[in-house]
């Protein structure tokens, strides 16, 4: 069992903030700090998952049986301070018959859920300045739909950020978030394997969210990724995103949905490649009587003749996008066009989902294949959730045929 240490910005700052907290109120009464700890809340959650992967080109199928155990403790708010500590353990139940990126079993397909214990979150928050929240330490960061910055919550080992974050709500209907990230704790931890468990960065994140429009929500963002451990992933991204819902008065219970997004990206920091690339998203849908249908078109530009010039999203929650088979975790050199149709419905206390993707090259004539994703989710009560998922990717000019099945049960206490 390996325990990943919290890097300098989180561990040292956590101690300094804790000392400041203690010193501020020690003169008043020593029991106040103790009370904030005693009156805090603790939560334990267990998430078991069985994942099977059948990937063409590998003689063995992967069978991964893993359990994530999470302990979360949050202090009670005391004056302007609050703190949280969250520890995760990922264990394999049964024998290893999958490549978790650290165990060296490359004859199996990858299931990126390596074993280990790590500190998932360790932060202190301060709200003593009106309309501002400061948070320092290891923390969860999810922006908008997590297409660019997210926590990859699907994987058993979550991605979190060692950061100083500032959230401001002084303007009506507006949330401004700024963060400086010194370290990214990836899904491949706590130990390095085929992929690094951590990325040393000097990354700045700015996201402005405005909900004052009657038509929907507008977000503007700038993400400046300076990744010391992977200079080729360094980039600057500027973008706008709009999401809207409109009740159609002529038809009862009919809601029209729309999303539009555009972003422009260029090399940044020590990236050895000079490039610029664009991102587009258009999505339209309807929701009626518990059924939601959406059609979308997503484009990540590339350059078929030069590697390293495609639009990249290395800190995204990638499993949410471009198919659950995870064939496009990195954008192909020739870019990616993803046309998709999704349906979801609630029936007999269960939620059913189906999505069809058609993948093509953005730069050039390449056909990247297609994929069908299916899911059934059941919430037994507030503490128990069940999930069955299936993905079938049929390759053409990219990757290989891959089928995946997941069975998952989650319990919270």
């Amino acid at each position: 069992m390996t325990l990943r240490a919290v890097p300098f910005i989180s561990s040292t700052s956590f101690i300094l903030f804790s000392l400041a907290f203690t010193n501020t109120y020690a003169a008043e009464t020593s029991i106040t700090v103790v009370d904030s700890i005693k009156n805090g809340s603790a939560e334990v959650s267990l998430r078991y998952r069985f994942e099977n992967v059948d990937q063409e080109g590998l003689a063995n199928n992967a069978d991964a049986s893993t359990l994530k155990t999470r302990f979360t403790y949050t202090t009670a708010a005391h004056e302007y301070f609050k703190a949280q500590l969250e520890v995760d353990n990922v264990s394999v139940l049964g024998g290893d018959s999958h490549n978790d990126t650290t165990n060296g079993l490359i004859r199996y397909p990858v299931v990126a859920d390596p074993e280990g214990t790590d500190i998932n979150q360790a932060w202190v928050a301060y709200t003593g300045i009106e309309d501002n929240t400061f948070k320092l330490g290891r923390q969860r960061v999810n922006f908008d739909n997590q297409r660019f910055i997210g926590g990859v919550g699907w994987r058993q080992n979550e991605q979190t950020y060692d950061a100083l974050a500032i959230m401001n709500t002084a303007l009506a209907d507006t949330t401004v978030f700024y963060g400086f990230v010194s370290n990214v704790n990836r899904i491949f931890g706590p130990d390095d394997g085929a992929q690094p468990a951590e990325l040393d960065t000097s990354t700045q994140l700015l996201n402005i969210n405005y909900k004052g429009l009657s038509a929907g929500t507008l977000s503007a963002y700038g993400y400046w990724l300076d990744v010391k451990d992977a200079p080729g992933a360094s980039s600057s991204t500027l973008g706008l995103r709009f999401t809207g819902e409109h009740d159609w008065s002529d038809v009862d219970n009919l809601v029209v949905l729309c999303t539009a997004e555009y972003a422009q990206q260029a090399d940044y920091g020590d990236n050895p490649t000079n490039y610029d690339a664009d991102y587009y998203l258009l999505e339209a849908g309807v929701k009626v009587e518990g059924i939601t249908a959406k059609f979308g078109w997503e484009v990540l530009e590339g350059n078929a003749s030069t590697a390293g010039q495609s639009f990249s999203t290395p800190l995204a929650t990638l499993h949410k996008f471009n198919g659950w088979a995870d064939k496009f975790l990195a954008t192909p050199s020739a870019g990616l066009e993803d046309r998709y149709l999704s349906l979801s419905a609630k029936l007999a206390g269960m939620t059913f989902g189906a999505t069809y993707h058609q993948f093509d090259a953005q730069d050039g004539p390449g056909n990247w294949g297609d994929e069908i994703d299916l899911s059934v989710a059941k919430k037994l009560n507030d503490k128990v959730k069940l999930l069955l998922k299936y993905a079938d990717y049929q390759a053409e000019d990219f990757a290989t045929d891959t089928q995946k099945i997941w069975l998952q049960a989650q319990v919270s206490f």
Side-chain angles (χ1 to χ4, degrees):
M1 180 184 296
T2 302
L3 183 65
R4 181 196 293 170
V6 182
F8 178 83
I9 189 170
S10 55
S11 60
T12 302
S13 301
F14 192 95
I15 294 170
L16 290 176
F17 263 70
S18 298
L19 288 174
F21 173 53
T22 302
N23 291 336
T24 299
Y25 299 103
E28 179 183 340
T29 169
S30 61
I31 199 66
T32 56
V33 175
V34 175
D35 284 345
S36 70
I37 297 173
K38 286 172 56 179
N39 296 329
S41 61
E43 181 178 326
V44 176
S45 66
L46 305 174
R47 187 169 76 177
Y48 170 78
R49 179 186 296 152
F50 173 79
E51 180 171 344
N52 171 268
V53 183
D54 181 358
Q55 181 174 318
E56 184 180 357
L58 292 173
N60 300 291
N61 290 358
D63 289 317
S65 177
T66 59
L67 176 67
K68 178 179 76 174
T69 303
R70 169 172 290 173
F71 172 78
T72 307
Y73 176 78
T74 308
T75 68
H78 180 71
E79 296 293 339
Y80 303 119
F81 288 93
K82 196 177 208 178
Q84 184 179 94
L85 175 67
E86 186 170 80
V87 179
D88 286 354
N89 171 265
V90 180
S91 300
V92 172
L93 304 183
D96 283 342
S97 55
H98 65 284
N99 176 9
D100 71 1
T101 73
T102 66
N103 58 14
L105 299 179
I106 60 175
R107 64 185 181 275
Y108 295 101
V110 169
V111 178
D113 291 324
E115 287 190 282
T117 301
D118 70 350
I119 297 174
N120 195 54
Q121 294 196 88
W123 52 258
V124 172
Y126 174 72
T127 57
I129 300 176
E130 186 177 3
D131 298 323
N132 287 277
T133 298
F134 298 83
K135 186 182 286 188
L136 187 61
R138 180 165 295 179
Q139 57 194 276
R140 187 175 289 120
V141 181
N142 294 315
F143 287 143
D144 300 321
N145 64 341
Q146 304 180 44
R147 189 60 183 97
F148 298 101
I149 307 296
V152 200
W154 169 250
R155 297 262 51 108
Q156 297 286 54
N157 188 43
E158 188 180 12
Q159 177 170 278
T160 53
Y161 301 80
D162 297 332
L164 169 62
I166 305 169
M167 185 175 68
N168 179 278
T169 56
L171 299 177
D173 303 311
T174 303
T175 301
V176 179
F177 182 104
Y178 170 81
F180 177 84
V181 180
S182 68
N183 190 72
V184 180
N185 311 284
R186 307 175 76 209
I187 65 171
F188 305 105
D191 298 319
D192 288 339
Q195 298 285 342
E198 300 179 0
L199 290 177
D200 179 22
T201 80
S202 294
T203 288
Q204 298 186 73
L205 309 174
L206 177 64
N207 185 284
I208 304 171
N209 185 275
Y210 179 66
K211 296 183 177 180
L213 300 174
S214 60
T217 299
L218 182 65
S219 294
Y221 51 83
Y223 307 135
W224 296 269
L225 280 56
D226 187 1
V227 186
K228 309 301 183 183
D229 290 334
S234 297
S235 64
S236 66
T237 303
L238 301 175
L240 287 171
R241 173 181 174 85
F242 173 81
T243 57
E245 293 189 6
H246 177 71
D247 292 333
W248 199 269
S249 58
D250 294 336
V251 181
D252 290 341
N253 300 318
L254 176 64
V255 178
V256 177
L257 311 171
C258 65
T259 300
E261 187 167 4
Y262 169 75
Q264 187 175 60
Q265 186 175 93
D267 56 282
Y268 185 72
D270 294 328
N271 194 323
T273 302
N274 295 322
Y275 79 99
D276 59 80
D278 291 340
Y279 170 89
Y280 308 88
L281 173 67
L282 292 174
E283 186 178 83
V286 293
K287 181 167 58 176
V288 59
E289 300 296 342
I291 299 174
T292 301
K294 295 180 181 180
F295 172 77
W297 176 59
E298 184 182 44
V299 179
L300 294 88
E301 286 190 344
N303 187 326
S305 61
T306 307
Q309 293 193 355
S310 56
F311 196 102
S312 67
T313 60
L315 301 184
T317 297
L318 292 166
H319 182 75
K320 287 184 63 177
F321 306 95
N322 311 134
W324 294 338
D326 289 338
K327 309 310 289 187
F328 298 96
L329 298 180
T331 308
S333 294
L336 175 65
E337 289 194 28
D338 179 5
R339 295 175 179 86
Y340 58 91
L341 175 65
S342 69
L343 294 170
S344 66
K346 295 182 178 180
L347 180 65
M350 295 183 286
T351 301
F352 297 84
T355 303
Y356 172 75
H357 296 266
Q358 179 181 315
F359 304 114
D360 293 290
Q362 177 274 324
D363 184 29
N367 178 354
W368 293 160
D370 55 40
E371 179 171 329
I372 295 175
D373 297 326
L374 305 172
S375 67
V376 181
K378 173 68 173 178
K379 184 177 180 181
L380 298 181
N381 51 51
D382 290 339
K383 298 183 180 298
V384 182
K385 301 176 184 177
L386 304 176
L387 176 67
L388 170 64
K389 283 175 51 167
Y390 172 75
D392 183 1
Y393 170 76
Q394 296 296 310
E396 290 291 340
D397 303 325
F398 183 82
T400 56
D401 292 352
T402 301
Q403 292 79 44
K404 297 187 178 184
I405 299 173
W406 300 269
L407 295 170
Q408 180 175 289
Q410 183 169 333
V411 180
S412 303
F413 303 96

